[in-house]
Amino acid sequence: MLDIPLCLRVDVDAVIAAQIDMGVCDAIGQNAPAGRPAIMSAPHLPKVAGIDSAVPAAAHTAASLTSSAAAATAPGAMIQDRLAGWVSDLTTLHELTERLARTGTLDEALHELLRAGAALVGARRGMVVLEPADGRGPSSTVGLGLAHADLGHIETVPRSATAYGRILDARTTGVPGPVAQADLFHDESLDPRHREVAARLGYAASYALPLATDDAGRLGVAVWFYDEPAEPVDRQRHLVGLYGRYATEHLARLLELDRARRQMATIADELLPSRLPRVPGVRLAARHLSGPRGGGEWYDALPLPEGALGLAVGSVSGSGPSALAAMGRLRASLRAYAVMEGEDPVAVLSDLELLLRLTEPARSATALFAYCEPAAAPHPEGHESRIVLAGAGHTPPLIVGQHRTEFVETSLSAPLGMLACWEAPSVEFSPAHGETVLLYTDGLLRRTGDPMDRAFTRLHAAAASVPKAARDDPGAIADHVLRTVLPDGLGAGDDGEDVVILAAWFE
Protein backbone atom coordinates (compact mmCIF):
# COMPACT_ATOMS: atom_id res chain seq x y z
CA MET A 1 0.00 0.00 0.00
CA LEU A 2 1.28 3.44 -0.91
CA ASP A 3 1.90 5.76 1.99
CA ILE A 4 0.34 9.00 0.71
CA PRO A 5 1.05 12.05 2.86
CA LEU A 6 -1.94 13.71 4.51
CA CYS A 7 -1.49 17.01 2.67
CA LEU A 8 -1.54 15.15 -0.66
CA ARG A 9 -4.75 13.36 0.33
CA VAL A 10 -6.44 16.69 1.09
CA ASP A 11 -5.35 18.15 -2.24
CA VAL A 12 -6.58 15.13 -4.16
CA ASP A 13 -9.97 15.22 -2.40
CA ALA A 14 -10.37 18.90 -3.14
CA VAL A 15 -9.43 18.39 -6.80
CA ILE A 16 -11.88 15.52 -7.16
CA ALA A 17 -14.67 17.62 -5.60
CA ALA A 18 -13.87 20.47 -7.97
CA GLN A 19 -13.86 18.12 -10.94
CA ILE A 20 -17.24 16.69 -10.07
CA ASP A 21 -18.93 20.07 -9.52
CA MET A 22 -17.30 22.23 -12.18
CA GLY A 23 -16.63 19.85 -15.07
CA VAL A 24 -12.87 19.79 -14.67
CA CYS A 25 -12.59 16.59 -16.68
CA ASP A 26 -13.80 18.46 -19.75
CA ALA A 27 -11.30 21.23 -19.14
CA ILE A 28 -8.46 18.74 -18.80
CA GLY A 29 -9.51 17.03 -22.01
CA GLN A 30 -9.48 20.34 -23.85
CA ASN A 31 -6.12 21.55 -22.58
CA ALA A 32 -4.05 18.35 -22.33
CA PRO A 33 -1.90 17.51 -25.40
CA ALA A 34 -2.53 14.32 -27.36
CA GLY A 35 -0.76 11.16 -26.29
CA ARG A 36 0.96 10.80 -22.97
CA PRO A 37 1.08 14.00 -20.89
CA ALA A 38 4.38 15.77 -21.27
CA ILE A 39 4.85 15.99 -17.56
CA MET A 40 4.87 12.19 -17.34
CA SER A 41 7.38 11.71 -20.20
CA ALA A 42 9.68 14.61 -19.29
CA PRO A 43 13.08 13.60 -17.91
CA HIS A 44 13.55 14.15 -14.19
CA LEU A 45 16.75 15.04 -12.43
CA PRO A 46 17.88 12.19 -10.22
CA LYS A 47 17.68 12.53 -6.47
CA VAL A 48 20.94 10.99 -5.23
CA ALA A 49 22.37 11.42 -1.76
CA GLY A 50 25.16 13.94 -1.77
CA ILE A 51 24.23 15.39 -5.17
CA ASP A 52 22.34 18.68 -5.35
CA SER A 53 19.70 18.32 -8.02
CA ALA A 54 19.48 22.10 -8.24
CA VAL A 55 22.94 22.23 -9.83
CA PRO A 56 22.57 23.20 -13.54
CA ALA A 57 22.64 20.27 -15.96
CA ALA A 58 25.35 19.78 -18.48
CA ALA A 59 25.30 21.98 -21.56
CA HIS A 60 24.37 19.18 -23.95
CA THR A 61 21.20 18.33 -21.90
CA ALA A 62 20.10 21.80 -20.71
CA ALA A 63 18.39 22.78 -23.92
CA SER A 64 16.33 19.61 -24.16
CA LEU A 65 15.28 19.81 -20.50
CA THR A 66 14.21 23.45 -20.85
CA SER A 67 12.08 22.84 -23.92
CA SER A 68 10.41 19.79 -22.38
CA ALA A 69 9.67 21.63 -19.09
CA ALA A 70 8.19 24.59 -20.94
CA ALA A 71 5.94 22.31 -22.96
CA ALA A 72 4.76 20.60 -19.78
CA THR A 73 4.37 23.71 -17.62
CA ALA A 74 2.08 25.79 -19.87
CA PRO A 75 -1.07 23.60 -19.92
CA GLY A 76 -0.36 22.16 -16.45
CA ALA A 77 -0.06 25.56 -14.83
CA MET A 78 -3.26 26.72 -16.49
CA ILE A 79 -5.18 23.71 -15.21
CA GLN A 80 -3.72 24.17 -11.72
CA ASP A 81 -4.76 27.81 -11.72
CA ARG A 82 -8.28 26.89 -12.75
CA LEU A 83 -8.44 24.16 -10.13
CA ALA A 84 -7.21 26.57 -7.46
CA GLY A 85 -9.88 29.08 -8.48
CA TRP A 86 -12.62 26.47 -8.38
CA VAL A 87 -11.53 25.17 -4.99
CA SER A 88 -11.48 28.74 -3.69
CA ASP A 89 -14.99 29.31 -5.04
CA LEU A 90 -16.24 26.11 -3.44
CA THR A 91 -14.70 27.10 -0.12
CA THR A 92 -16.36 30.51 -0.27
CA LEU A 93 -19.68 28.95 -1.20
CA HIS A 94 -19.40 26.49 1.68
CA GLU A 95 -18.72 29.28 4.19
CA LEU A 96 -21.65 31.38 2.95
CA THR A 97 -24.12 28.49 3.05
CA GLU A 98 -23.01 27.60 6.57
CA ARG A 99 -23.66 31.18 7.68
CA LEU A 100 -27.09 31.03 6.08
CA ALA A 101 -27.84 27.70 7.75
CA ARG A 102 -27.26 29.29 11.16
CA THR A 103 -30.13 31.76 10.66
CA GLY A 104 -33.29 30.80 12.51
CA THR A 105 -35.87 33.30 11.28
CA LEU A 106 -37.07 34.53 7.89
CA ASP A 107 -35.84 38.06 8.55
CA GLU A 108 -32.35 36.88 9.50
CA ALA A 109 -32.16 34.59 6.46
CA LEU A 110 -33.27 37.31 4.03
CA HIS A 111 -30.66 39.75 5.32
CA GLU A 112 -27.94 37.09 5.15
CA LEU A 113 -29.02 36.17 1.61
CA LEU A 114 -28.65 39.78 0.50
CA ARG A 115 -25.20 40.18 2.07
CA ALA A 116 -23.84 36.94 0.65
CA GLY A 117 -25.32 37.52 -2.80
CA ALA A 118 -23.87 41.04 -2.94
CA ALA A 119 -20.42 39.63 -2.21
CA LEU A 120 -20.80 36.96 -4.91
CA VAL A 121 -21.99 39.26 -7.71
CA GLY A 122 -19.85 42.25 -6.70
CA ALA A 123 -22.71 44.62 -5.85
CA ARG A 124 -23.13 47.07 -2.99
CA ARG A 125 -26.90 47.30 -2.60
CA GLY A 126 -29.86 45.04 -3.07
CA MET A 127 -33.37 44.04 -2.11
CA VAL A 128 -35.28 40.80 -1.75
CA VAL A 129 -39.01 40.47 -2.33
CA LEU A 130 -40.57 37.54 -0.48
CA GLU A 131 -43.84 36.63 -2.20
CA PRO A 132 -44.64 32.89 -2.14
CA ALA A 133 -46.47 31.70 -5.22
CA ASP A 134 -49.02 29.75 -3.16
CA GLY A 135 -50.44 33.02 -1.87
CA ARG A 136 -50.33 31.93 1.79
CA GLY A 137 -47.74 34.55 2.76
CA PRO A 138 -46.08 36.09 4.53
CA SER A 139 -44.96 38.75 2.06
CA SER A 140 -42.20 41.22 2.81
CA THR A 141 -39.49 43.35 1.22
CA VAL A 142 -36.02 43.67 2.77
CA GLY A 143 -33.26 46.01 1.61
CA LEU A 144 -29.46 46.07 1.78
CA GLY A 145 -27.94 49.55 1.69
CA LEU A 146 -31.41 50.94 0.95
CA ALA A 147 -33.52 52.88 3.42
CA HIS A 148 -37.22 52.29 3.87
CA ALA A 149 -37.93 55.37 1.77
CA ASP A 150 -35.67 54.03 -1.02
CA LEU A 151 -37.66 50.80 -1.11
CA GLY A 152 -40.81 52.90 -1.30
CA HIS A 153 -39.44 54.73 -4.36
CA ILE A 154 -38.66 51.43 -6.08
CA GLU A 155 -42.17 50.18 -5.41
CA THR A 156 -43.59 53.20 -7.28
CA VAL A 157 -42.13 51.80 -10.51
CA PRO A 158 -44.77 49.82 -12.44
CA ARG A 159 -44.33 46.20 -11.45
CA SER A 160 -44.24 44.99 -15.04
CA ALA A 161 -41.32 47.36 -15.75
CA THR A 162 -39.07 45.86 -13.06
CA ALA A 163 -36.96 42.73 -13.30
CA TYR A 164 -38.40 41.29 -10.10
CA GLY A 165 -41.94 42.00 -11.28
CA ARG A 166 -41.40 40.12 -14.55
CA ILE A 167 -40.08 37.11 -12.63
CA LEU A 168 -42.84 37.11 -10.02
CA ASP A 169 -45.64 37.57 -12.55
CA ALA A 170 -44.28 35.10 -15.13
CA ARG A 171 -46.90 32.56 -16.19
CA THR A 172 -44.37 30.02 -17.43
CA THR A 173 -43.99 26.66 -15.75
CA GLY A 174 -40.73 25.59 -14.21
CA VAL A 175 -38.00 27.69 -12.62
CA PRO A 176 -37.55 31.11 -14.26
CA GLY A 177 -34.10 32.33 -15.16
CA PRO A 178 -32.25 35.39 -13.82
CA VAL A 179 -32.67 38.81 -15.41
CA ALA A 180 -29.64 41.08 -15.95
CA GLN A 181 -29.99 44.76 -16.84
CA ALA A 182 -26.41 45.76 -17.59
CA ASP A 183 -27.01 49.42 -18.52
CA LEU A 184 -30.34 50.91 -17.52
CA PHE A 185 -29.78 54.43 -18.85
CA HIS A 186 -28.90 53.21 -22.37
CA ASP A 187 -31.94 50.92 -22.49
CA GLU A 188 -34.41 52.71 -24.76
CA SER A 189 -37.27 50.47 -23.64
CA LEU A 190 -36.81 51.38 -19.96
CA ASP A 191 -39.92 52.73 -18.27
CA PRO A 192 -39.64 56.51 -17.61
CA ARG A 193 -40.54 56.11 -13.96
CA HIS A 194 -37.91 53.37 -13.60
CA ARG A 195 -35.33 55.68 -15.18
CA GLU A 196 -36.28 58.45 -12.76
CA VAL A 197 -36.05 56.23 -9.68
CA ALA A 198 -32.71 54.75 -10.81
CA ALA A 199 -31.29 58.25 -11.25
CA ARG A 200 -32.62 59.34 -7.86
CA LEU A 201 -31.16 56.33 -6.03
CA GLY A 202 -27.95 56.24 -8.06
CA TYR A 203 -27.90 52.76 -9.56
CA ALA A 204 -27.17 52.03 -13.22
CA ALA A 205 -27.55 48.25 -13.50
CA SER A 206 -29.23 45.37 -11.73
CA TYR A 207 -29.19 41.59 -11.53
CA ALA A 208 -32.34 39.74 -10.43
CA LEU A 209 -32.17 36.14 -9.23
CA PRO A 210 -35.39 34.13 -8.75
CA LEU A 211 -35.67 32.31 -5.44
CA ALA A 212 -37.29 29.20 -6.85
CA THR A 213 -36.68 25.46 -7.14
CA ASP A 214 -38.76 22.58 -8.43
CA ASP A 215 -39.37 21.30 -4.90
CA ALA A 216 -39.93 24.59 -3.05
CA GLY A 217 -41.68 26.45 -5.85
CA ARG A 218 -41.30 30.18 -6.32
CA LEU A 219 -40.74 32.09 -3.08
CA GLY A 220 -39.54 35.48 -4.31
CA VAL A 221 -36.76 37.38 -6.05
CA ALA A 222 -33.43 38.85 -4.94
CA VAL A 223 -32.16 41.91 -6.83
CA TRP A 224 -28.72 43.50 -6.54
CA PHE A 225 -27.92 46.98 -7.83
CA TYR A 226 -24.69 48.30 -9.38
CA ASP A 227 -23.57 51.92 -9.17
CA GLU A 228 -22.11 51.72 -12.70
CA PRO A 229 -23.13 49.76 -15.81
CA ALA A 230 -22.13 46.17 -15.10
CA GLU A 231 -23.34 42.60 -14.90
CA PRO A 232 -21.99 39.42 -13.30
CA VAL A 233 -19.59 37.29 -15.33
CA ASP A 234 -20.37 33.62 -15.97
CA ARG A 235 -18.38 32.48 -12.93
CA GLN A 236 -20.30 34.84 -10.63
CA ARG A 237 -23.63 33.81 -12.12
CA HIS A 238 -22.81 30.16 -11.56
CA LEU A 239 -21.83 30.72 -7.92
CA VAL A 240 -24.79 32.92 -7.02
CA GLY A 241 -27.08 30.45 -8.79
CA LEU A 242 -25.79 27.59 -6.62
CA TYR A 243 -26.13 29.75 -3.53
CA GLY A 244 -29.63 30.86 -4.54
CA ARG A 245 -30.86 27.28 -4.89
CA TYR A 246 -29.62 26.40 -1.42
CA ALA A 247 -31.04 29.64 0.01
CA THR A 248 -34.43 28.89 -1.52
CA GLU A 249 -34.62 25.48 0.15
CA HIS A 250 -33.57 27.02 3.48
CA LEU A 251 -36.15 29.79 3.14
CA ALA A 252 -38.84 27.21 2.34
CA ARG A 253 -38.13 25.42 5.62
CA LEU A 254 -38.17 28.66 7.59
CA LEU A 255 -41.37 29.70 5.80
CA GLU A 256 -43.19 26.56 6.90
CA LEU A 257 -41.92 27.02 10.44
CA ASP A 258 -43.05 30.64 10.48
CA ARG A 259 -46.50 29.69 9.21
CA ALA A 260 -46.83 27.00 11.88
CA ARG A 261 -45.85 29.49 14.58
CA ARG A 262 -48.37 32.01 13.32
CA GLN A 263 -51.11 29.40 13.32
CA MET A 264 -50.25 28.36 16.86
CA ALA A 265 -50.32 31.98 18.00
CA THR A 266 -53.68 32.51 16.31
CA ILE A 267 -55.17 29.42 17.98
CA ALA A 268 -53.82 30.51 21.36
CA ASP A 269 -55.30 33.98 20.95
CA GLU A 270 -58.67 32.51 20.00
CA LEU A 271 -58.67 30.37 23.15
CA LEU A 272 -58.02 33.40 25.36
CA PRO A 273 -60.50 36.18 26.17
CA SER A 274 -61.26 38.37 23.18
CA ARG A 275 -61.87 41.31 25.51
CA LEU A 276 -61.66 41.99 29.23
CA PRO A 277 -64.78 42.71 31.28
CA ARG A 278 -65.60 46.13 32.68
CA VAL A 279 -66.29 45.99 36.40
CA PRO A 280 -66.80 49.14 38.52
CA GLY A 281 -63.84 49.93 40.75
CA VAL A 282 -61.17 48.11 38.73
CA ARG A 283 -59.39 48.49 35.37
CA LEU A 284 -57.79 45.53 33.62
CA ALA A 285 -55.06 44.98 31.06
CA ALA A 286 -53.51 41.79 29.74
CA ARG A 287 -50.43 40.94 27.68
CA HIS A 288 -49.90 37.56 26.06
CA LEU A 289 -46.77 36.79 24.03
CA SER A 290 -46.70 33.42 22.31
CA GLY A 291 -43.54 31.36 22.08
CA PRO A 292 -42.59 29.66 18.80
CA ARG A 293 -43.73 26.21 19.94
CA GLY A 294 -47.11 27.35 21.27
CA GLY A 295 -47.19 26.92 25.01
CA GLY A 296 -50.14 26.33 27.31
CA GLU A 297 -50.02 29.52 29.39
CA TRP A 298 -53.30 31.37 29.76
CA TYR A 299 -55.24 34.01 31.64
CA ASP A 300 -58.88 34.84 32.25
CA ALA A 301 -61.06 37.55 33.79
CA LEU A 302 -64.78 37.12 34.28
CA PRO A 303 -67.49 39.09 36.08
CA LEU A 304 -69.13 37.27 39.00
CA PRO A 305 -72.38 37.88 40.91
CA GLU A 306 -72.76 40.89 43.21
CA GLY A 307 -70.17 42.99 41.37
CA ALA A 308 -67.30 40.62 42.08
CA LEU A 309 -64.53 39.78 39.65
CA GLY A 310 -62.63 36.55 39.03
CA LEU A 311 -59.00 36.68 37.85
CA ALA A 312 -57.01 33.62 36.83
CA VAL A 313 -53.67 32.73 35.29
CA GLY A 314 -52.22 29.30 34.68
CA SER A 315 -49.90 27.09 32.70
CA VAL A 316 -50.38 23.61 31.26
CA SER A 317 -47.41 21.28 30.88
CA GLY A 318 -46.16 20.57 27.38
CA SER A 319 -46.25 22.56 24.17
CA GLY A 320 -47.80 22.43 20.75
CA PRO A 321 -51.40 21.73 19.72
CA SER A 322 -52.08 19.26 22.53
CA ALA A 323 -51.05 21.79 25.19
CA LEU A 324 -53.21 24.46 23.57
CA ALA A 325 -56.20 22.14 23.55
CA ALA A 326 -55.64 21.22 27.19
CA MET A 327 -55.30 24.89 28.06
CA GLY A 328 -58.67 25.64 26.42
CA ARG A 329 -60.39 22.85 28.32
CA LEU A 330 -58.83 23.90 31.64
CA ARG A 331 -59.81 27.53 31.21
CA ALA A 332 -63.39 26.64 30.28
CA SER A 333 -63.69 24.37 33.30
CA LEU A 334 -62.34 27.00 35.66
CA ARG A 335 -64.87 29.53 34.40
CA ALA A 336 -67.70 27.11 35.21
CA TYR A 337 -66.39 26.40 38.71
CA ALA A 338 -65.76 30.12 39.34
CA VAL A 339 -69.37 31.02 38.52
CA MET A 340 -70.68 28.39 40.92
CA GLU A 341 -68.27 28.78 43.85
CA GLY A 342 -65.95 31.66 42.98
CA GLU A 343 -66.00 33.15 46.48
CA ASP A 344 -64.00 30.10 47.62
CA PRO A 345 -60.84 29.93 45.42
CA VAL A 346 -59.66 26.76 47.19
CA ALA A 347 -62.85 24.93 46.18
CA VAL A 348 -62.46 26.16 42.58
CA LEU A 349 -58.91 24.80 42.30
CA SER A 350 -59.83 21.56 44.11
CA ASP A 351 -62.57 20.84 41.59
CA LEU A 352 -60.24 21.76 38.75
CA GLU A 353 -57.56 19.40 40.09
CA LEU A 354 -60.07 16.53 40.34
CA LEU A 355 -61.20 17.09 36.76
CA LEU A 356 -57.61 17.19 35.50
CA ARG A 357 -56.66 14.04 37.38
CA LEU A 358 -59.66 12.10 36.05
CA THR A 359 -59.65 13.26 32.44
CA GLU A 360 -55.95 13.90 31.78
CA PRO A 361 -53.92 11.90 34.29
CA ALA A 362 -50.66 12.30 32.35
CA ARG A 363 -50.76 16.11 32.45
CA SER A 364 -50.05 18.63 35.18
CA ALA A 365 -50.84 22.32 35.43
CA THR A 366 -50.31 25.36 37.59
CA ALA A 367 -53.07 27.84 38.32
CA LEU A 368 -53.91 30.85 40.43
CA PHE A 369 -57.45 32.08 41.01
CA ALA A 370 -58.35 35.34 42.74
CA TYR A 371 -61.82 36.36 43.89
CA CYS A 372 -61.95 40.18 43.92
CA GLU A 373 -64.46 42.51 45.51
CA PRO A 374 -63.59 45.97 44.18
CA ALA A 375 -64.51 49.02 46.26
CA ALA A 376 -66.60 51.19 43.97
CA ALA A 377 -65.71 54.91 44.04
CA PRO A 378 -66.41 57.03 45.97
CA HIS A 379 -65.17 54.89 48.85
CA PRO A 380 -67.42 54.51 51.87
CA GLU A 381 -65.57 55.21 55.07
CA GLY A 382 -63.44 52.21 55.97
CA HIS A 383 -64.39 50.25 52.87
CA GLU A 384 -61.52 48.82 50.82
CA SER A 385 -61.12 46.40 47.97
CA ARG A 386 -60.74 42.79 49.01
CA ILE A 387 -59.01 39.87 47.26
CA VAL A 388 -59.05 36.21 48.25
CA LEU A 389 -56.76 33.97 46.23
CA ALA A 390 -55.38 30.46 46.09
CA GLY A 391 -52.56 29.08 44.00
CA ALA A 392 -51.51 25.62 42.86
CA GLY A 393 -47.78 25.64 42.23
CA HIS A 394 -48.01 29.11 40.72
CA THR A 395 -45.88 32.24 41.12
CA PRO A 396 -47.10 34.80 43.70
CA PRO A 397 -48.84 38.02 42.59
CA LEU A 398 -47.04 41.35 42.80
CA ILE A 399 -48.56 44.54 44.26
CA VAL A 400 -47.38 47.79 42.63
CA GLY A 401 -48.33 51.11 44.23
CA GLN A 402 -47.08 54.56 45.09
CA HIS A 403 -45.85 53.47 48.52
CA ARG A 404 -45.01 49.80 48.08
CA THR A 405 -43.90 47.16 45.58
CA GLU A 406 -44.04 43.69 47.10
CA PHE A 407 -44.96 40.10 46.42
CA VAL A 408 -48.07 38.67 48.05
CA GLU A 409 -47.16 35.94 50.52
CA THR A 410 -48.94 32.80 49.37
CA SER A 411 -48.77 29.31 50.80
CA LEU A 412 -46.52 26.74 49.14
CA SER A 413 -48.58 24.22 47.15
CA ALA A 414 -48.10 21.55 44.51
CA PRO A 415 -49.28 21.92 40.90
CA LEU A 416 -52.57 20.42 39.87
CA GLY A 417 -52.40 16.75 38.98
CA MET A 418 -49.32 16.01 41.07
CA LEU A 419 -50.98 14.76 44.27
CA ALA A 420 -53.80 12.32 44.96
CA CYS A 421 -55.68 15.03 46.85
CA TRP A 422 -54.79 18.69 46.37
CA GLU A 423 -55.57 21.33 48.96
CA ALA A 424 -53.94 24.57 50.08
CA PRO A 425 -55.09 27.48 52.25
CA SER A 426 -56.26 30.70 50.68
CA VAL A 427 -54.74 34.14 51.25
CA GLU A 428 -56.67 37.37 51.75
CA PHE A 429 -55.35 40.92 51.31
CA SER A 430 -56.61 44.39 50.47
CA PRO A 431 -55.01 46.52 47.72
CA ALA A 432 -55.02 50.23 48.54
CA HIS A 433 -56.47 52.91 46.30
CA GLY A 434 -54.39 53.26 43.13
CA GLU A 435 -52.50 50.01 43.57
CA THR A 436 -52.13 47.42 40.82
CA VAL A 437 -52.04 43.66 41.29
CA LEU A 438 -49.89 41.84 38.72
CA LEU A 439 -50.66 38.20 37.95
CA TYR A 440 -48.14 36.51 35.64
CA THR A 441 -46.92 33.10 34.52
CA ASP A 442 -43.52 31.61 35.16
CA GLY A 443 -42.71 32.00 31.47
CA LEU A 444 -41.93 35.65 32.23
CA LEU A 445 -39.28 34.53 34.72
CA ARG A 446 -37.85 31.67 32.68
CA ARG A 447 -37.46 33.88 29.62
CA THR A 448 -34.86 35.96 31.46
CA GLY A 449 -32.44 33.03 31.45
CA ASP A 450 -31.52 33.77 35.07
CA PRO A 451 -31.94 31.52 38.11
CA MET A 452 -35.38 31.90 39.62
CA ASP A 453 -34.24 33.98 42.59
CA ARG A 454 -32.54 36.49 40.28
CA ALA A 455 -35.53 36.47 37.95
CA PHE A 456 -37.82 37.38 40.86
CA THR A 457 -35.42 40.18 41.81
CA ARG A 458 -35.44 41.48 38.25
CA LEU A 459 -39.24 41.42 38.15
CA HIS A 460 -39.47 43.28 41.46
CA ALA A 461 -37.01 45.92 40.27
CA ALA A 462 -38.93 46.36 37.01
CA ALA A 463 -42.21 46.87 38.86
CA ALA A 464 -40.61 49.30 41.33
CA SER A 465 -39.23 51.39 38.45
CA VAL A 466 -42.62 52.09 36.86
CA PRO A 467 -42.87 55.88 36.37
CA LYS A 468 -45.30 57.60 38.69
CA ALA A 469 -47.22 59.02 35.76
CA ALA A 470 -47.92 55.48 34.51
CA ARG A 471 -48.97 53.88 37.79
CA ASP A 472 -52.66 54.58 37.22
CA ASP A 473 -52.63 52.75 33.85
CA PRO A 474 -52.51 48.93 34.12
CA GLY A 475 -51.60 48.62 30.44
CA ALA A 476 -48.63 50.98 30.82
CA ILE A 477 -47.48 49.08 33.91
CA ALA A 478 -47.63 45.73 32.08
CA ASP A 479 -45.74 47.15 29.09
CA HIS A 480 -43.06 48.68 31.30
CA VAL A 481 -42.53 45.42 33.16
CA LEU A 482 -42.26 43.47 29.90
CA ARG A 483 -39.76 45.91 28.37
CA THR A 484 -37.64 45.96 31.52
CA VAL A 485 -37.64 42.25 32.31
CA LEU A 486 -37.27 41.19 28.66
CA PRO A 487 -35.48 44.06 26.90
CA ASP A 488 -34.81 41.91 23.81
CA GLY A 489 -38.36 40.60 23.57
CA LEU A 490 -39.13 36.93 23.15
CA GLY A 491 -36.90 36.25 20.16
CA ALA A 492 -38.65 34.39 17.33
CA GLY A 493 -35.91 31.83 17.15
CA ASP A 494 -36.14 30.96 20.83
CA ASP A 495 -37.90 27.78 21.93
CA GLY A 496 -39.00 29.17 25.28
CA GLU A 497 -42.40 29.44 26.90
CA ASP A 498 -45.27 31.86 26.47
CA VAL A 499 -45.46 34.98 28.61
CA VAL A 500 -48.66 36.18 30.29
CA ILE A 501 -49.25 39.28 32.42
CA LEU A 502 -52.67 40.23 33.83
CA ALA A 503 -52.76 43.63 35.55
CA ALA A 504 -55.68 44.84 37.71
CA TRP A 505 -55.67 48.48 38.91
CA PHE A 506 -58.01 49.14 41.86
CA GLU A 507 -59.68 52.45 42.62
Side-chain angles (χ1 to χ4, degrees):
M1 179 180 293
L2 295 177
D3 185 13
I4 301 176
L6 180 60
C7 60
L8 183 57
R9 290 195 184 100
V10 175
D11 291 342
V12 169
D13 291 342
V15 170
I16 292 175
Q19 289 175 343
I20 292 174
D21 194 74
M22 298 294 187
V24 176
C25 296
D26 296 337
I28 293 176
Q30 295 174 3
N31 292 285
R36 296 177 62 194
I39 194 169
M40 297 178 63
S41 59
H44 297 276
L45 296 177
K47 296 181 180 179
V48 182
I51 300 178
D52 187 0
S53 60
V55 175
H60 64 278
T61 61
S64 61
L65 288 174
T66 303
S67 60
S68 299
T73 302
M78 180 172 62
I79 292 176
Q80 289 179 359
D81 289 343
R82 294 183 68 179
L83 287 176
W86 286 330
V87 171
S88 175
D89 290 343
L90 288 173
T91 302
T92 301
L93 196 61
H94 175 70
E95 292 175 353
L96 293 177
T97 53
E98 277 203 336
R99 288 173 54 183
L100 181 65
R102 287 193 292 267
T103 59
T105 65
L106 275 176
D107 189 65
E108 292 176 356
L110 293 176
H111 280 91
E112 179 59 32
L113 165 65
L114 282 177
R115 287 191 293 266
L120 291 174
V121 302
R124 188 172 61 89
R125 294 177 291 176
M127 61 179 285
V128 60
V129 180
L130 182 67
E131 191 176 298
D134 58 12
R136 296 167 53 198
S139 299
S140 64
T141 302
V142 177
L144 172 68
L146 296 171
H148 185 72
D150 298 334
L151 296 175
H153 285 304
I154 294 175
E155 290 177 353
T156 62
V157 179
R159 186 180 172 102
S160 59
T162 62
Y164 71 86
R166 291 197 291 271
I167 292 175
L168 292 175
D169 297 336
R171 300 298 181 184
T172 57
T173 59
V175 178
V179 177
Q181 294 177 299
D183 193 347
L184 290 172
F185 297 111
H186 286 83
D187 184 0
E188 296 181 355
S189 63
L190 189 68
D191 183 85
R193 178 56 184 168
H194 195 177
R195 188 184 305 273
E196 179 184 346
V197 170
R200 176 191 292 266
L201 300 183
Y203 65 87
S206 67
Y207 184 73
L209 178 72
L211 301 176
T213 63
D214 292 331
D215 294 333
R218 192 205 69 211
L219 302 184
V221 179
V223 187
W224 291 278
F225 301 105
Y226 297 91
D227 297 339
E228 302 292 338
E231 63 178 310
V233 298
D234 291 342
R235 168 176 161 271
Q236 291 174 314
R237 293 190 185 208
H238 180 68
L239 286 176
V240 77
L242 291 175
Y243 181 80
R245 287 196 291 272
Y246 176 83
T248 301
E249 297 294 339
H250 182 64
L251 287 173
R253 292 189 291 270
L254 293 179
L255 188 62
E256 289 302 318
L257 185 60
D258 182 78
R259 287 172 175 173
R261 289 171 176 171
R262 291 172 183 266
Q263 290 174 356
M264 296 293 289
T266 301
I267 294 173
D269 290 339
E270 290 297 325
L271 291 174
L272 295 174
S274 58
R275 61 182 182 86
L276 296 174
R278 293 186 177 182
V279 177
V282 63
R283 295 207 304 264
L284 302 174
R287 300 293 183 265
H288 175 238
L289 304 180
S290 297
R293 294 184 299 175
E297 306 204 359
W298 55 277
Y299 70 92
D300 202 356
L302 66 157
L304 297 176
E306 300 180 0
L309 174 69
L311 302 176
V313 291
S315 176
V316 176
S317 61
S319 61
S322 62
L324 289 177
M327 177 264 284
R329 292 191 293 268
L330 200 69
R331 172 177 169 258
S333 301
L334 184 140
R335 290 177 70 93
Y337 296 141
V339 171
M340 293 186 295
E341 49 192 3
E343 66 278 359
D344 186 357
V346 173
V348 171
L349 295 185
S350 296
D351 292 340
L352 194 64
E353 194 274 338
L354 179 60
L355 177 69
L356 185 68
R357 183 156 45 87
L358 293 177
T359 58
E360 301 187 53
R363 193 179 298 278
S364 63
T366 66
L368 186 146
F369 178 72
Y371 178 79
C372 308
E373 293 179 340
H379 291 279
E381 188 66 27
H383 184 67
E384 294 181 344
S385 299
R386 171 176 169 268
I387 297 178
V388 181
L389 64 86
H394 205 79
T395 51
L398 182 62
I399 299 178
V400 182
Q402 297 288 352
H403 305 291
R404 63 170 176 169
T405 300
E406 60 187 23
F407 290 102
V408 177
E409 293 187 6
T410 57
S411 58
L412 189 63
S413 60
L416 303 176
M418 298 294 289
L419 300 177
C421 181
W422 178 91
E423 188 170 353
S426 60
V427 176
E428 181 176 338
F429 65 99
S430 296
H433 168 68
E435 290 186 335
T436 300
V437 178
L438 283 182
L439 309 182
Y440 54 93
T441 59
D442 56 359
L444 177 64
L445 304 175
R446 298 184 188 280
R447 282 286 188 165
T448 64
D450 295 335
M452 292 302 286
D453 56 343
R454 294 185 181 179
F456 276 114
T457 302
R458 177 185 289 193
L459 174 59
H460 184 276
S465 65
V466 174
K468 291 185 178 181
R471 297 206 171 196
D472 292 339
D473 184 354
I477 294 175
D479 291 335
H480 177 85
V481 169
L482 275 178
R483 287 194 304 267
T484 308
V485 176
L486 303 175
D488 298 328
L490 291 188
D494 193 356
D495 289 337
E497 304 175 16
D498 293 2
V499 172
V500 165
I501 292 182
L502 179 60
W505 180 86
F506 290 86
E507 294 182 355

